[in-house]
Amino acid sequence: MYNAAAAAAAWYLAWVEFEEHLLYIRLLSVCIGAQVSGSGFDCWDEDVLEEEEAEIGARNMKLYISASGIKRLTVSGVAAAGDGLWRGMKGKSSPAAVVGRRLAQRPVRLMLGLLLPFLVVRTAFLVLESAALCSSSIGCVTWRFFGGSDAALLREELTRALLEATTSNDDDGVGIGIGTVEASNSGPVSFRDLVKDVTLNRQDIKAFAFKTKAMFAKMEQIVKTAKRHESMYWHLAAQGVPKSLHCLSLKLAEEYAVNAAARSRLPLPQYVYRLTDPFFHHVVLLTDNVLAASVVISSTIKTSTDPEKLVFHVVTDKKTYTSMYAWFAVNRIDSAVVEVKGLHQYDWSHKVNVAIKEMLEIHHQIWNHNYRSLKKEDFEYEEEHGHKLDVLSPSCISLLNHLRIYLPELFPDLNKVVFLDDDVAVQHDLSSLWDLDLDQKVVGAVVDSWCGPDCCPGRKYKDYFNFTDSIISSNLDPDRCGWLYGVNVFNLKRWRNTNITAVHHQWLKLSLNSGFALWHPGALPPALLAFEGHMHRLDSSWHIAGLGYRYTRADKLMVEAAAVVHFSGPAKPWLEMASPERRYIGLKLEELFGIEGRRFSLQSHLRRRSTVDNKLIEVSRNTFT
């Protein structure tokens, strides 16, 4: 009760003070008017001032506030015109003291009388404006009251709100967090919607900053998910066989059945001895792609300084054998020898057959394990996670891809071979590879990449193996560079004197017993383990890989200087999904390999094949032009 009375009294005193300030404003206006008109009115005459002050004294306003039985408080206005305002409030005071105090306070009162109304109105406007613009009205009023501009204020407030939103992991009391926006389907999805939402709800800058952060976080998640799906679909598209390639294989199989020339002896009887003669340069291909095999062989011959010494051994599966055989039987190459052999034509021992079957079954189980994990895993696709999508590659479960570990059994009469993948193109002569000293090692391979010694982006052991497993982490270095398949020199004679194939199977069984989690699917990881201590480094100029990926960082000069360019990755050059620069098949296969009636035209196909080979070499050399 007493507090309410005191507040009322204070309010009344403030009002009376304001009335007095208005009086001095009136006096000032009278003085200014008198000075302008020259009426002789003395602004500082005390009698004149006393007469004007009498207007307030005439009010004689009194207020009585009491609390029964507690206290009686009396607040009086001005008791008499000459006594002044403060005498009625403070009690007894002499007229001389009052006059002296008024004379001393007169300039101050005049200035306050001018400034107080302006300050009151200005403060009111600032308070109203800050309520809509600022998260802190007091700080906003202080900033603008002392001369801060609207632009500077907005910048300061926005910077503070953005910093707070950046360092905050939760709603921080604003009720608008990332989780709130992501969980809501009705949240703003564009900047226009965001501005509309904040404007309608009259939210401050802090809420705007938090909503913006949440909206962008949601958009980033959507983009990452879309990028992951797009990458998976891109890898899946690599499994498809173009219609033109499929039709080519069918036409060649038909030609093998109806055309005696397509079944003619291959190689010719006078060249059969070359198949086992160590004097010649033996090249091995394991492939079921007719066109790819033709490109590898043609580009190797075209760039060779001594093509008559080349002997190509093409191993394929049973379903592709007739097509592959018909192609090379009709399109004979006079300067080199080509042998085409199907897996069904090998007479291996029971032990080898059982081992190959067991190897393929384990690789299938590794693939199934990783494929199921990929379907369940919701990883955010980044370049370092790209190897996880390699499980979508058909080569992971291809018998021909894994059969390279049995090269000594495939070619028991050969001592040294150069192995080429079917997705390579040869740009320079390979003859010196057969004369290369492997320093008592079994395999020669490129380790260093185009970026320099001990540089192998995306090919370190941590990209192939699962180092969370104690077996792998205790035996391997995650930062070690892995060597490349694609262009390899194998000393088969020395291989037969080692236990490399047996070690390969031991690691496969260990993977089987460890839940198939030791390495990512593919033929290379177990080969890296099996050939440990048996690998000889080749110069990086022999082989450059990774051209089958969308974003290769290979240097243009290195690509041009490489003896072999390798289109490792999903985008093979014969697929439509490959980039235009890397697709050496620019014409329709029906136009390149047309059939006249039901017979092949040998001269026509030799001429057309030469066109394809020239285009291959030209494009591979200008891949990054």
Side-chain angles (χ1 to χ4, degrees):
M1 184 84 176
Y2 174 75
N3 291 337
W11 179 86
Y12 174 73
L13 293 177
W15 175 256
V16 173
E17 184 74 11
F18 179 68
E19 288 284 339
E20 190 171 352
H21 292 158
L22 292 181
L23 170 63
Y24 283 104
I25 293 174
R26 178 182 172 187
L27 290 176
L28 181 60
S29 62
V30 172
C31 290
I32 294 174
Q35 295 295 328
V36 173
S37 61
S39 60
F41 182 82
D42 187 1
C43 294
W44 304 105
D45 190 316
E46 292 187 15
D47 295 334
V48 175
L49 294 177
E50 290 295 336
E51 291 178 4
E52 295 295 335
E53 285 186 352
E55 292 186 7
I56 295 179
R59 298 175 185 270
N60 288 325
M61 300 177 65
K62 292 183 180 181
L63 177 65
Y64 296 94
I65 303 173
S66 62
S68 300
I70 299 176
K71 192 172 182 179
R72 179 181 179 86
L73 176 63
T74 301
V75 180
S76 176
V78 182
D83 292 342
L85 175 64
W86 292 99
R87 187 174 62 187
M89 292 181 57
K90 291 190 173 183
K92 298 179 181 180
S93 181
S94 65
V98 173
V99 172
R101 185 167 58 252
R102 287 183 176 277
L103 290 175
Q105 295 179 353
R106 184 172 295 128
V108 177
R109 292 184 178 223
L110 288 174
M111 294 301 297
L112 290 176
L114 289 172
L115 295 177
L116 186 59
F118 170 76
L119 294 177
V120 171
V121 175
R122 175 65 174 167
T123 303
F125 273 108
L126 290 179
V127 171
L128 293 175
E129 268 190 340
S130 63
L133 292 177
C134 304
S135 55
S136 174
S137 296
I138 297 176
C140 193
V141 171
T142 304
W143 174 274
R144 300 184 67 186
F145 188 82
F146 289 101
S149 64
D150 291 345
L153 172 64
L154 182 59
R155 181 169 56 252
E156 180 73 16
E157 282 290 316
L158 183 58
T159 301
R160 187 185 302 111
L162 290 176
L163 290 176
E164 184 176 353
T166 301
T167 57
S168 174
N169 294 322
D170 206 341
D171 293 0
D172 280 352
V174 299
I176 306 169
I178 296 177
T180 305
V181 175
E182 288 184 348
S184 175
N185 294 327
S186 60
V189 295
S190 66
F191 186 75
R192 184 186 298 273
D193 293 339
L194 177 63
V195 173
K196 182 178 179 181
D197 182 30
V198 173
T199 303
L200 292 178
N201 295 326
R202 300 186 64 82
Q203 295 173 334
D204 57 17
I205 292 180
K206 182 177 180 180
F208 174 80
F210 272 85
K211 273 199 170 185
T212 303
K213 175 185 176 182
M215 186 184 72
F216 276 106
K218 182 178 180 180
M219 289 182 177
E220 287 177 0
Q221 183 64 33
I222 293 173
V223 170
K224 288 180 179 179
T225 302
K227 185 177 180 180
R228 174 177 180 266
H229 291 165
E230 187 270 342
S231 183
M232 292 184 65
Y233 298 149
W234 190 74
H235 278 72
L236 289 172
Q239 299 185 25
V241 177
K243 179 181 177 181
S244 53
L245 277 179
H246 180 69
C247 292
L248 172 64
S249 183
L250 292 178
K251 290 177 180 179
L252 289 171
E254 180 187 13
E255 196 66 20
Y256 182 87
V258 300
N259 188 357
R263 301 189 301 273
S264 61
R265 187 82 177 267
L266 187 68
L268 294 175
Q270 60 268 32
Y271 300 129
V272 172
Y273 77 96
R274 297 187 183 183
L275 297 180
T276 58
D277 193 335
F279 171 77
F280 292 92
H281 297 163
H282 297 272
V283 182
V284 173
L285 282 86
L286 304 179
T287 179
D288 58 356
N289 190 317
V290 177
L291 184 61
S294 177
V295 168
V296 174
I297 292 175
S298 299
S299 61
T300 305
I301 294 173
K302 186 177 182 67
T303 57
S304 176
T305 58
D306 193 6
E308 288 77 11
K309 295 184 68 174
L310 292 172
V311 178
F312 296 92
H313 303 268
V314 181
V315 179
T316 188
D317 54 18
K318 187 174 183 178
K319 69 178 178 60
T320 316
Y321 172 74
T322 56
S323 302
M324 190 77 71
Y325 194 97
W327 173 255
F328 288 104
V330 173
N331 298 292
R332 292 186 181 274
I333 303 173
D334 297 332
S335 59
V337 172
V338 178
E339 176 194 27
V340 178
K341 199 169 184 179
L343 292 177
H344 60 286
Q345 296 175 322
Y346 283 91
D347 186 18
W348 288 324
S349 66
H350 177 73
K351 180 180 179 181
V352 173
N353 281 325
V354 171
I356 292 176
K357 182 179 179 181
E358 184 181 51
M359 174 192 70
L360 194 60
E361 288 179 351
I362 293 177
H363 279 297
H364 267 278
Q365 294 180 54
I366 294 174
W367 179 86
N368 285 328
H369 170 77
N370 283 270
Y371 183 71
R372 288 194 299 267
S373 299
L374 179 66
K375 291 172 63 178
K376 296 178 181 178
E377 188 175 2
D378 189 24
F379 67 89
E380 295 179 358
Y381 179 78
E382 300 290 348
E383 187 176 357
E384 59 267 22
H385 298 310
H387 63 270
K388 295 183 178 181
L389 297 179
D390 289 341
V391 69
L392 302 176
S393 174
S395 62
C396 292
I397 53 177
S398 170
L399 174 60
L400 291 172
N401 189 44
H402 294 291
L403 205 57
R404 64 189 73 192
I405 196 66
Y406 282 96
L407 284 179
E409 286 74 19
L410 288 171
F411 304 100
D413 299 323
L414 298 179
N415 294 329
K416 194 173 188 179
V417 299
V418 170
F419 179 88
L420 297 178
D421 275 342
D422 62 359
D423 54 351
V424 305
V426 181
Q427 299 186 127
H428 304 291
D429 181 39
L430 303 180
S431 299
S432 58
L433 284 177
W434 284 272
D435 300 326
L436 190 66
D437 182 10
L438 297 182
D439 192 24
Q440 302 300 313
K441 301 298 175 59
V442 173
V443 58
V446 170
V447 178
D448 300 327
S449 187
W450 44 267
C451 50
D454 296 321
C455 179
C456 48
R459 295 193 293 103
K460 293 185 177 181
Y461 273 33
K462 63 183 179 182
D463 299 315
Y464 298 117
F465 298 97
N466 178 21
F467 278 86
T468 60
D469 191 284
S470 58
I471 298 176
I472 296 298
S473 60
S474 61
N475 289 277
L476 302 176
D477 178 9
D479 293 323
R480 181 179 176 183
C481 289
W483 51 269
L484 289 171
Y485 264 144
V487 180
N488 304 104
V489 184
F490 286 101
N491 188 332
L492 300 183
K493 182 179 180 179
R494 184 167 182 80
W495 189 342
R496 296 185 185 100
N497 296 326
T498 66
N499 62 344
I500 291 175
T501 305
V503 171
H504 184 275
H505 277 273
Q506 290 175 7
W507 276 105
L508 287 178
K509 291 181 179 179
L510 188 59
S511 177
L512 174 65
N513 298 329
S514 301
F516 313 107
L518 297 184
W519 59 75
H520 305 300
L524 184 57
L528 294 175
L529 299 170
F531 284 96
E532 179 66 28
H534 298 284
M535 189 274 300
H536 175 77
R537 285 179 177 241
L538 298 181
D539 189 89
S540 59
S541 62
W542 282 110
H543 179 198
I544 187 166
L547 303 186
Y549 293 97
R550 285 180 292 183
Y551 311 111
T552 179
R553 292 172 291 180
D555 181 76
K556 177 183 176 181
L557 296 178
M558 289 294 295
V559 172
E560 293 177 348
V564 177
V565 289
H566 190 181
F567 294 89
S568 56
K572 304 303 182 184
W574 55 80
L575 296 177
E576 295 181 2
M577 61 178 288
S579 60
E581 300 85 6
R582 301 168 197 175
R583 291 176 57 195
Y584 55 81
I585 305 302
L587 303 174
K588 294 181 179 180
L589 290 174
E590 289 81 3
E591 297 176 359
L592 291 172
F593 310 107
I595 298 178
E596 298 177 11
R598 296 188 56 170
R599 299 290 182 269
F600 285 91
S601 171
L602 177 58
Q603 297 300 326
S604 173
H605 279 281
L606 286 175
R607 183 170 60 253
R608 289 171 177 171
R609 190 189 68 242
S610 178
T611 302
V612 175
D613 297 339
N614 290 335
K615 186 172 181 63
L616 164 66
I617 302 302
E618 177 184 356
V619 173
S620 62
R621 286 178 177 174
N622 297 280
T623 298
F624 298 93
T625 301

